[in-house]
Amino acid sequence: MIPFLDLGAAYREIKPEIDRAVQRVLESGWYVLGPEVDAFEAEWAEYCGAAHAVGLANGLDALILALRALDVGPGDEVIVPSNTYIATWLAVSAVGARPVPVEPDPATHNLNPSLITAALTDRTKAILPVHLYGQPADLDPILMLARAHGIAVVEDAAQAHGAQYKGRKIGAHGDIVCWSFYPGKNLGALGDAGAITTNNADLADRIRMLRNYGSREKYVNEVQGVNSRLDPIQAAVLRVKLAHLHNWSERRQAIAALYLEGLARTGLIMPHVPDWANPAWHLFVIRSADRDSVQARLTKAGIGSLIHYPIAPHMQAAYSEMGLAADTLPVARKLAAEVLSLPIGPQLSLQNAQAVIEVLTDI
Ligand SMILES: *Cc1c(COP(=O)(O)O)cnc(C)c1O
């Protein structure tokens, strides 16, 4: 049996370090914010090449608070990819704004910059590219468009820890970059966790206030904030794992290279990596018109696989209110019907990755 992802194996690999870190917090007597959160924020900002990081409760909150910090609200529109995890859209809806979907380039699965202009209106407040599967979105044309129109760029980097765009890590290209440390992400906590990074001190300060009841000073509330603080136990775990992230990313790269080579001559469509991209390989996503039978073959061989994502956001009951007909976003719908994620992760052996290739070679 080859699992899609083995989080228990990741823990076992560094168990003594994790256990010591958790113990340290338990014994510190400090259980909300405090020194572990401060230290992780400094280390995460440094890793990302950003001036500031703010630890939050999860990735969805990171997106919501980023939009709130930019004063995006009712009556505003935000450009989002038509194919993404629904959290990207939900964050826009949560602040009362309208998600305006733009189709991806089917080769990269990421927002197609040349389709954005047609979707801009005088209500557009921000563009929200997603670095889907850990493949960096083509940021330069997006940033240029945003600057020309005086609107913000918020990046959904929930899958892109360590990914590089034109030789520079994701973390401070746009105005605010949003992170999730959900357990299955490349840098994953042992529960929910998230963060934003930015080079803008005012935005960082605003999000710091928003995450803590809208308060900078205890019992003085400047705005109606929320409770979305990064848990110090999770911060301590993330500090341990961050020290392994470079090494674990290299293992993902080795698996991706093996798949790209081993499956190149099959009928499967391989991920396309532009020459300016260094993906984080959060997911290794292939495409096939015959996706369900490819998945059935893997399942029969005891190999786990998943579909990211089987239903495009505009086809979800949650967005029936938008009244988008099924055929309005054909690229998103086609990708949802054809994508399949193969096992990948730091604890997947090259031998097991080779076994996955062998099951798929004659397709
Ligand atoms: C995981 C994820 C999120 C949400 O993160 P949570 O921490 O689960 O709230 C948002 N966007 C994308 C693309 C994700 O993969």
Side-chain angles (χ1 to χ4, degrees):
M1 297 299 278
I2 300 175
F4 177 73
L5 181 67
D6 190 348
L7 291 174
Y11 169 61
R12 285 188 297 277
E13 186 179 320
I14 53 171
K15 176 173 159 46
E17 284 177 83
I18 298 262
D19 290 358
R20 267 199 309 279
V22 170
Q23 199 68 34
R24 182 175 74 227
V25 180
L26 297 183
E27 281 165 10
S28 75
W30 200 316
Y31 306 126
V32 172
L33 295 178
E36 292 288 345
V37 173
D38 291 347
F40 173 70
E41 288 177 344
E43 289 161 16
W44 184 238
E46 157 99 32
Y47 176 88
C48 295
H52 311 276
V54 182
L56 302 166
N58 57 66
L60 176 59
D61 279 1
L63 291 162
I64 293 172
L65 296 186
L67 294 171
R68 279 194 66 180
L70 291 161
D71 283 323
V72 178
D76 295 333
E77 296 177 357
V78 177
I79 305 289
V80 294
S82 59
N83 65 319
T84 178
Y85 180 54
I86 198 165
T88 319
W89 286 43
L90 289 177
V92 177
S93 305
V95 301
R98 201 167 80 85
V100 176
V102 166
E103 293 264 70
D105 175 343
T108 64
H109 297 240
N110 274 325
L111 209 49
N112 185 341
S114 67
L115 299 179
I116 294 175
T117 306
L120 296 174
T121 73
D122 53 9
R123 295 172 174 212
T124 311
K125 272 293 210 49
I127 306 174
L128 212 173
V130 179
H131 306 297
L132 199 64
Y133 310 147
Q135 308 277 347
D138 193 2
L139 287 171
D140 279 349
I142 294 172
L143 291 165
M144 245 165 60
L145 255 179
R147 279 190 205 111
H149 289 84
I151 59 180
V153 173
V154 175
E155 297 168 56
D156 182 340
Q159 304 186 354
H161 313 77
Q164 290 182 11
Y165 177 68
K166 298 187 179 172
R168 197 178 129 214
K169 276 208 189 92
I170 297 299
H173 293 83
D175 296 281
I176 307 179
V177 181
C178 302
W179 301 96
S180 165
F181 307 115
Y182 177 82
K185 303 291 161 91
N186 287 25
L187 179 62
L190 301 180
D192 280 307
I196 63 93
T197 51
T198 179
N199 278 344
N200 183 315
D202 291 335
L203 291 174
D205 183 57
R206 233 175 115 66
I207 291 169
R208 220 174 266 291
M209 169 185 69
L210 285 168
R211 78 167 171 189
N212 194 25
Y213 294 110
S215 161
R216 282 188 181 86
E217 190 185 329
K218 207 169 166 85
Y219 305 129
V220 180
N221 301 86
E222 300 171 38
V223 295
Q224 294 171 10
V226 296
N227 177 349
S228 181
R229 300 176 294 222
L230 173 62
D231 183 301
I233 295 178
Q234 300 302 343
V237 169
L238 289 168
R239 293 182 68 195
V240 170
K241 288 195 163 186
L242 180 52
H244 295 274
L245 183 56
H246 180 74
N247 176 253
W248 286 9
S249 298
E250 284 187 337
R251 292 196 217 160
R252 286 177 184 273
Q253 270 166 37
I255 293 162
L258 199 68
Y259 281 156
L260 285 170
E261 164 69 24
L263 297 171
R265 281 161 296 279
T266 63
L268 302 167
I269 301 173
M270 290 290 108
H272 169 70
V273 182
D275 53 12
W276 42 256
N278 280 95
W281 296 112
H282 172 58
L283 297 171
F284 190 96
V285 177
I286 58 167
R287 275 173 60 200
S288 167
D290 207 9
R291 187 261 315 278
D292 293 344
S293 70
V294 175
Q295 184 169 40
R297 190 198 282 225
L298 289 168
T299 307
K300 193 153 160 270
I303 296 167
S305 63
L306 290 173
I307 296 167
H308 298 93
Y309 298 90
I311 307 172
H314 75 288
M315 303 287 292
Q316 298 278 6
Y319 279 101
S320 58
E321 70 197 29
M322 280 178 72
L324 290 169
D327 55 2
T328 48
L329 298 164
V331 181
R333 215 164 50 121
K334 185 174 164 68
L335 292 178
E338 297 189 348
V339 293
L340 183 65
S341 306
L342 302 183
I344 193 166
Q347 284 72 35
L348 178 71
S349 67
L350 290 177
Q351 196 182 348
N352 278 349
Q354 191 58 46
V356 174
I357 292 171
E358 264 140 43
V359 172
L360 299 175
T361 35
D362 63 329
I363 283 184

